[in-house]
Amino acid sequence: MNFFVSLLNALPGAAAQGMVWGIMAIGVYITFRVLDVADLTVDGSIATGGAVCVMLIRAGWNPWLAMVCAFAAGVLAGLVTGLLHGHCGIPAILAGILTQLALYSVNLRILGGKANQALSVDKYPLVVSQRFVRAGNLTNPLPLLVLVCAVVILALYWFFGTEKGCAIRATGANAKMARSQGINTRRYTILGLMLSNGLVALAGAFLSQYQGSADVGMGRGAIVIGLASVIIGEVLLGKLFRNFALRLATVIIGAIIYYIVLQIVLQLGLNTNDLKLISAAIVAVFLAIPYWKSHAGIKKEKGGVKHA
Amino acid sequence: MLEIKAVKKTFFPGTVNEKAALCGVDLTLEDGDFVTVIGGNGAGKSTLLNVVSGTLTADSGSVVLDGVDITRMPEYKRAKYLGRVFQDPMMGTAPSMLIEENLALAARRGKHRGLRWGISGGERERYREMLRQLDLGLEDRMTARVGLLSGGQRQALTLLMASLQQPKLLLLDEHTAALDPRTAEKVLALSDKIVAEHNLTTMMVTHNMKDAIAHGNRLIMMNAGRIVLDIRGEEKSKLTVPQLLEMFNRVSGSDDVTDKMLLA
């Protein structure tokens, strides 16, 4: 009984965190699923977003304006990865790792040479804060996060329906065909990476306000959480949701489920130090399931032929 | 129209695997020419097409299309002038996108892609009418993903896409080789129809001598990176497969005709 009460208590927090990380996971979805590129920049660019946001708010900026700048910083990070990949011939995965590594130093500089900068909700007019996650009034971050997620999904639904967005999707779906239809695949890959990392940095900006600080290490393992959200959403709801907007929604739902599962695991008494290990294991299993399924199918077919 | 001059292409130069794929090819196509290209494996047919389409860049020589030198133009830029259908039915379309989306992508070939909606209502009607003429029932499946279509349906769709924006040159790279004979027949008939309707200048690579004779107004044969035969007009229409085989043996100086060329 006690277990369920404390779990219920933890639900709003899990939902809020899930939505913040869900925005990041949508960024991962754009590269991993739409562009078919594994981009590891995100571990760095989410911290960049958080760092930019925190430092600007501390300098007295309006939080929304600070978040716009955080988005722009992420777009720049994506541009660097895109240029390394598209114009220097570096494989995408390595280009992302290089940018991610470089961003560690950049983020330290943004944070004024410190590994951590606090951002108290008592001193600054933050948009979201963990402290009010169970509050019954308008300071509660949940309604705003739902709204932000909805706006992000609708904006992306619109963008990927435009001629430019279609060109990005075609680039990811079949680059050779895209080029033969006059699409500059290199340019659109870079554009996709920029958009993706912009969203990731925006999520970092929300995250830093939500937890009341920016940390140079806050992005460690972000790509894994992003992939976990994408895959959990697909496995559970992929058959149901075909529409692009709904697919983006499943990514956020996947992130929320991820955090609820995490809460349950923690309530069961697991050590927080083991979190990354558990996350990696969950992602590995969910990535393996489709592979196992297809192999099982082949075996069955072979068996069938034998009997026939 | 299309002027290919002294084009050379060597793969893996300076290594033990060095292979001269094109050894100085000259070819001029007139407006409205429909040329079939035949030759054995490794003769340079596909390389020639790829040098024209931009998938490969020529080491030397020039490719000029309608007065524009496209020798070193990036593939996506010269796509504006070209319609292409590939051997692999998977290659010509985006499988995860809808039929109508694929058509809309092709309709914007060579045009600026902005922030307008990717497909308009008026376009849909136009596409529906075009798909109806294919007579494959695709007009009722415009919002189906292309990945669900059969190889023949995809090649038909790719042909339609290639002709949506009137291309200066249509490149068919063994586009029926992966299809079963009946479907191949249908796709070839459709190719003929589209070429005739739009009066397209066309290059069609094929392994099939019968098809090479039956289609188009001109036939070239390649061997070891060179054009060794160029037959057109009256002479071509009277050509038979045995004659062509005999010519092939004479020019190539061997009996090295693959089964594939005979049977396919």
Side-chain angles (χ1 to χ4, degrees):
Chain A
M1 200 59 209
N2 221 342
F3 172 80
F4 286 106
V5 172
S6 52
L7 181 64
L8 216 59
N9 269 328
L11 272 185
Q17 274 201 307
M19 281 190 273
V20 170
W21 285 93
I23 296 170
M24 188 223 58
I26 287 182
V28 172
Y29 182 88
I30 292 174
T31 49
F32 187 62
R33 280 290 182 242
V34 179
L35 270 181
D36 199 17
V37 163
D39 175 33
L40 298 187
T41 317
V42 292
D43 282 22
S45 54
I46 189 167
T48 305
V52 167
C53 180
V54 163
M55 295 316 278
L56 287 179
I57 293 178
R58 281 173 67 103
W61 284 47
N62 173 296
W64 289 106
L65 208 57
M67 283 193 281
V68 171
C69 291
F71 179 85
V75 167
L76 277 180
L79 175 65
V80 172
T81 302
L83 291 176
L84 286 174
H85 172 48
H87 289 265
C88 305
I90 299 170
I93 202 154
L94 189 52
I97 290 174
L98 289 176
T99 313
Q100 185 205 112
L101 185 69
L103 281 179
Y104 190 84
S105 300
V106 173
N107 293 341
L108 274 174
R109 277 190 183 267
I110 297 174
L111 288 167
K114 292 185 185 163
N116 190 295
Q117 288 277 9
L119 188 69
S120 168
V121 68
D122 298 321
K123 281 200 236 165
Y124 305 99
L126 302 186
V127 170
V128 289
S129 171
Q130 193 168 14
R131 186 184 302 169
F132 308 123
V133 78
R134 277 188 290 274
N137 55 33
L138 273 179
T139 57
N140 192 310
L142 287 172
L144 182 79
L145 284 173
V146 171
L147 187 70
V148 169
C149 286
V151 169
V152 166
I153 289 174
L154 286 178
L156 289 176
Y157 179 71
W158 165 76
F159 178 71
F160 281 105
T162 65
E163 292 171 344
K164 270 198 174 20
C166 284
I168 293 181
R169 283 161 58 209
T171 299
N174 183 349
K176 189 180 171 69
M177 170 266 191
R179 277 192 295 277
S180 77
Q181 298 302 343
I183 291 167
N184 184 347
T185 49
R186 188 163 69 176
R187 214 179 90 198
Y188 281 102
T189 302
I190 295 175
L191 188 63
L193 284 168
M194 290 165 74
L195 179 62
S196 160
N197 281 287
L199 282 168
V200 170
L202 181 69
F206 274 105
L207 186 65
S208 64
Q209 294 182 71
Y210 182 75
Q211 62 189 22
S213 70
D215 190 293
V216 72
M218 69 194 266
R220 184 164 299 153
I223 182 72
V224 175
I225 298 177
L227 289 177
S229 312
V230 170
I231 294 161
I232 293 171
E234 276 174 3
V235 169
L236 296 181
L237 297 163
K239 287 234 163 66
L240 223 59
F241 291 169
R242 290 262 166 215
N243 175 287
F244 188 72
L246 290 177
R247 289 202 160 217
L248 294 181
T250 63
V251 174
I252 292 182
I253 294 168
I256 294 173
I257 291 174
Y258 175 85
Y259 272 95
I260 290 175
V261 170
L262 217 58
Q263 284 297 339
I264 294 174
V265 170
L266 288 178
Q267 304 267 335
L268 289 173
L270 259 105
N271 190 334
T272 30
N273 287 341
D274 296 333
L275 270 188
K276 305 272 188 215
L277 176 65
I278 297 164
S279 307
I282 293 174
V283 171
V285 168
F286 273 100
L287 277 176
I289 286 173
Y291 177 78
W292 288 336
K293 267 189 185 165
S294 66
H295 266 247
I298 289 168
K299 270 181 201 153
K300 253 182 222 158
E301 261 171 48
K302 273 187 187 160
V305 170
K306 217 184 272 171
H307 287 295
Chain B
M1 185 64 224
L2 176 72
E3 272 180 273
I4 299 172
K5 271 191 194 145
V7 162
K8 287 187 181 174
K9 178 74 192 176
T10 304
F11 293 117
F12 315 114
T15 72
V16 283
N17 292 325
E18 183 171 295
K19 164 126 184 51
L22 296 176
C23 315
V25 170
D26 294 281
L27 177 68
T28 304
L29 299 195
E30 306 301 332
D31 256 327
D33 264 357
F34 182 165
V35 183
T36 56
V37 185
I38 57 169
N41 284 324
K45 313 177 299 285
S46 284
T47 308
L48 180 62
L49 230 61
N50 285 334
V51 161
V52 174
S53 71
T55 311
L56 297 171
T57 310
D59 295 336
S60 62
S62 69
V63 181
V64 177
L65 182 60
D66 213 13
V68 182
D69 187 339
I70 59 169
T71 318
R72 312 215 162 266
M73 190 184 275
E75 185 182 4
Y76 76 91
K77 267 192 195 161
R78 61 174 98 173
K80 168 159 60 170
Y81 310 117
L82 305 171
R84 292 164 69 189
V85 186
F86 308 99
Q87 175 173 7
D88 182 351
M90 305 293 191
M91 253 14 288
T93 47
S96 58
M97 296 176 78
L98 314 181
I99 292 178
E100 58 178 29
E101 284 177 333
N102 272 275
L103 287 164
L105 278 171
R108 285 159 180 75
R109 178 154 42 80
K111 289 185 175 169
H112 174 73
R113 290 170 205 266
L115 291 177
R116 277 166 306 168
W117 201 243
I119 179 167
S120 69
E123 267 179 273
R124 274 198 189 96
E125 277 319 299
R126 208 176 120 224
Y127 299 155
R128 194 183 305 280
E129 199 38 54
M130 289 171 155
L131 288 170
R132 186 168 293 134
Q133 285 174 18
L134 293 184
D135 203 19
L136 294 167
L138 294 181
E139 66 273 16
D140 301 319
R141 300 175 62 190
M142 281 175 51
T143 54
R145 274 163 227 285
V146 172
L148 300 170
L149 304 187
S150 70
Q153 288 173 325
R154 285 197 202 188
Q155 290 305 66
L157 182 64
T158 310
L159 265 171
L160 190 58
M161 287 164 63
S163 64
L164 264 184
Q165 277 286 331
Q166 175 94 1
K168 289 188 192 298
L169 180 65
L170 178 65
L171 301 173
L172 308 173
D173 190 359
E174 293 187 46
H175 68 309
T176 58
L179 306 175
D180 67 79
R182 264 184 59 200
T183 315
E185 197 72 32
K186 272 190 190 169
V187 170
L188 270 176
L190 178 68
S191 312
D192 273 345
K193 184 170 165 241
I194 283 177
V195 167
E197 247 170 44
H198 298 82
N199 192 27
L200 298 177
T201 310
T202 303
M203 279 176 89
M204 176 172 96
V205 171
T206 176
H207 259 118
N208 187 316
M209 289 197 167
K210 202 165 82 331
D211 291 342
I213 294 169
H215 301 269
N217 65 335
R218 190 171 163 192
L219 181 150
I220 61 175
M221 182 185 283
M222 292 189 72
N223 187 52
R226 286 191 175 81
I227 294 175
V228 288
L229 263 185
D230 188 343
I231 306 166
R232 53 186 107 187
E234 187 104 352
E235 196 188 345
K236 175 177 181 289
S237 55
K238 286 183 190 152
L239 210 56
T240 61
V241 173
Q243 278 175 335
L244 197 55
L245 268 176
E246 202 261 324
M247 282 177 181
F248 181 83
N249 289 341
R250 205 172 53 224
V251 221
S252 64
S254 77
D255 295 328
D256 179 29
V257 179
T258 62
D259 291 345
K260 216 171 169 188
M261 280 185 70
L262 278 167
L263 301 169

